[in-house]
Each structure stands twice: as structure tokens, then as C-alpha cells.
Amino acid sequence: MARYPGEFALDSLPERLVRRAALLIETEGDRSVVLDADRNEFARLPESADGTVIGSLSHDGTHLILVARSGSGVGVRALGGGEPRWFDGPDPEYEHDRHATSSPDGTTIAVLSGDDGDEPGTAVVSLLDLASGARRRLWSAVGAASWECGLCWSPDGRLLAVTYMIWDDERDDDALSTVVLDPATGQVLASYPIATIASATYATWANDHTLLYRHEYDDVNRRFVADPRTGTVWTTPELTGRLWGVVGERHLHEVAAYEEPTASRSAFYTTNLDGTARRSFFGYHPRTNAGRVHLAPGAFLDLTTI
């Protein structure tokens, strides 16, 4: 098996299905590159159907959670092949799905939607039971849901972080805000105004109770590390690169243009939460920026050994 750091050419990757993926990168040009968790090598997924957006990888990396680009429902498709199973939204005319991610045990999909059926509009989090297909509304607040927002389960499935859109009166503009919910009751356990979690990944939790988020107006590339149970928050030093998520208490970074402006390849590396112990992970050429990155913590390599 290949060991990391590794490097490959995008155009030479085989196009094939995989049974289980640790990571999926949507690159420019709508190419989906996956790290095959079983063979420990990269491959390119066959093109998916038009009109769908990848919401996330399942926690174990075996399924794609899909969102209809129209906002009219969410789907689940095995990476190994087969047709997706689709679930319509409760009110397709007014309630539009934007993000979806499955619980760590794979039984439930959390869906973030925007409901503009009333004034003012609301951001809505619903839980979809995969066995029955029933969807129930868990939480809602005045606001909206956009593709910039996101939601993420804690690794043990006991907490759910949600970023939604609000109106910031002070700046007279849209802004992103984050809450942590109890998925059993819908209770708001913590609130982080004008803050956003990592969008379109599974990994904004360093562990079962440690959340990482970014202050939307913060010009410094750093993260706030919070424990919703105790209310404690500490701030990392300024970090380099584009941060895509955290797995096993290690950040996953992509080398940014300001770090290596003339580089001919795209490179990824990992660091501790405070930015120390930088280690190369993998790279590919030609340089093609990642549009979105999806992580499957249950299928991921042990980043502490890389």
C-alpha cells in the first residue's frame, strides 16, 4: 500500500467507484477525487447526475449524502454503485434544503433548510429517519440557509453544530451565526454569534465535545476552540493555508497561493490545533484549487502518524 506523503497527477487517476472513502475533494472543473480508504490510494469518481450537490460523506465513508440543487430533497447513494434513495422535502414550494449530513451511526440525516413561507423567513434543522423516511423539524430560528452555511454532528452523535444566515443590524448586512443543538431535544446548548463552522466537511469537531469555528469578521486566519458543555473558548494562533477541517485533533490545510505563489502543484498538510507539528500529507498536479472538501472521520487515516 502507498504511504503518505504521496503525490499524483490528476489526469492520470483511474476513474472508478470505491467502496469506502476517507476524503473527497471537489476540484475546479467538477472533478471529484477520493482517497480510497480500503486501498489507500486516490481515484476519480465517475461524474454524478446533474442537478445534485454533494452534501457530505457519511461518517464511515461508504455513502454520499446528496442535496438537490433545486432544494427539493436529499438523497443517499452508496459509493460502490447503485441508484440514490431520495427523500422529498416537507414543503418543496417554500422550504429549500441546502445542507445534509448523516449521523455517525448512519441512522439519521440532519438537514438544514431555509423556509420562506412566512415573513420573516426561518432557518430550519430537521432530522430524517432513514428507516421510515419520516422527517421531523428539530429547530428553527429567524434567518435563512445558504450554500455558505453548514451543519456537523459531533463524533459521538450527541451534539449538532449548525451555521445559518442572520441579519447583522450593526453592519446592515447578511452574516453567519452558529449554534450547537441537542439532537435529542432541539435545545440550543451554545450560541456563537457571527461565527461559522467549516462548510461542506464532516469535521468541525476535534473530539466529542470540542468545536472549532471561525469568527466571520476576523481578518486573522485562526480558529476559536470551544467546549459547548462548559462555555470555555480559547483561540489558536494565526494559522497558514486554507483550513478544510479537523480530524483526530489535526487540522487539514491546503497550501494557499500566498504561501507558494508560483507552485505548480496543489499540496495538503496537517498540523496540531495550535498550528504546530506541520507534516506533509499529499499533493497533486497541475495546481487545481479545491472547491470543497468532504471528510469521513470514521474512515480516515490516523493523522497523528502522518
Side-chain angles (χ1 to χ4, degrees):
M1 284 190 174
R3 296 297 299 170
Y4 295 95
E7 186 162 343
F8 56 90
L10 278 176
D11 295 336
S12 69
L13 286 179
E15 184 177 290
R16 62 178 177 84
L17 297 173
V18 303
R19 187 184 71 87
R20 195 167 60 103
L23 159 144
L24 186 151
I25 304 171
E26 295 182 75
T27 68
E28 294 173 352
D30 294 327
R31 289 183 289 189
S32 295
V33 175
V34 293
L35 173 55
D36 186 330
D38 295 319
R39 296 169 60 172
N40 205 21
E41 63 184 27
F42 287 89
R44 193 173 58 205
L45 285 185
E47 291 187 16
S48 59
D50 292 337
T52 63
V53 176
I54 297 173
S56 62
L57 279 170
S58 62
H59 188 274
D60 65 2
T62 62
H63 289 76
L64 287 176
I65 313 303
L66 306 172
V67 181
R69 198 176 294 275
S70 64
S72 58
V74 299
V76 181
R77 179 169 68 82
L79 264 75
E83 294 297 316
R85 180 186 178 194
W86 280 97
F87 304 88
D88 293 332
D91 188 352
E93 184 175 359
Y94 295 109
E95 190 169 329
H96 303 292
D97 300 330
R98 290 293 177 255
H99 292 273
T101 185
S102 63
S103 59
D105 64 8
T107 64
T108 307
I109 293 179
V111 185
L112 174 62
S113 311
D115 188 346
D116 56 8
D118 296 316
E119 288 292 340
T122 56
V124 177
V125 174
S126 300
L127 296 184
L128 172 64
D129 179 76
L130 287 176
S132 66
R135 188 193 292 209
R136 67 177 178 89
R137 184 173 288 201
L138 178 71
W139 169 89
S140 64
V142 173
S146 71
W147 298 115
E148 303 168 88
C149 301
L151 72 169
C152 185
W153 298 83
S154 62
D156 62 4
R158 295 182 177 181
L159 300 172
L160 185 63
V162 182
T163 292
Y164 66 106
M165 186 170 288
I166 63 169
W167 183 259
D168 183 358
D169 289 328
E170 184 176 342
R171 292 182 178 248
D172 196 30
D173 199 1
D174 290 327
L176 297 172
S177 191
T178 295
V179 294
V180 174
L181 305 177
D182 179 344
T185 64
Q187 178 185 357
V188 176
L189 303 177
S191 179
Y192 306 101
I194 319 299
T196 176
I197 61 173
S199 177
T201 79
Y202 203 105
T204 196
W205 294 90
N207 53 47
D208 291 340
H209 51 77
T210 303
L211 174 76
L212 275 74
Y213 65 87
R214 178 180 62 84
H215 195 280
E216 190 174 6
Y217 302 144
D218 191 356
D219 293 331
V220 179
N221 190 26
R222 58 183 174 176
R223 292 297 181 269
F224 294 82
V225 184
D227 186 336
R229 306 169 308 167
T230 63
T232 60
V233 179
W234 64 273
T235 308
T236 71
E238 184 171 6
L239 302 167
T240 57
R242 301 175 70 192
L243 272 69
W244 285 111
V246 59
V247 179
E249 306 198 19
R250 296 277 292 177
H251 291 295
L252 174 65
H253 306 246
E254 180 184 8
V255 173
Y258 70 83
E259 291 182 89
E260 298 182 8
T262 62
S264 60
R265 69 178 192 127
S266 295
F268 290 75
Y269 59 93
T270 69
T271 68
N272 291 332
L273 296 187
D274 61 2
T276 60
R278 175 169 170 163
R279 301 190 188 107
S280 295
F281 188 17
F282 65 90
Y284 55 77
H285 56 85
R287 188 170 193 164
T288 307
N289 288 335
R292 298 201 300 171
V293 174
H294 308 273
L295 305 173
F300 222 90
L301 305 168
D302 183 358
L303 292 184
T304 62
T305 67
I306 295 173

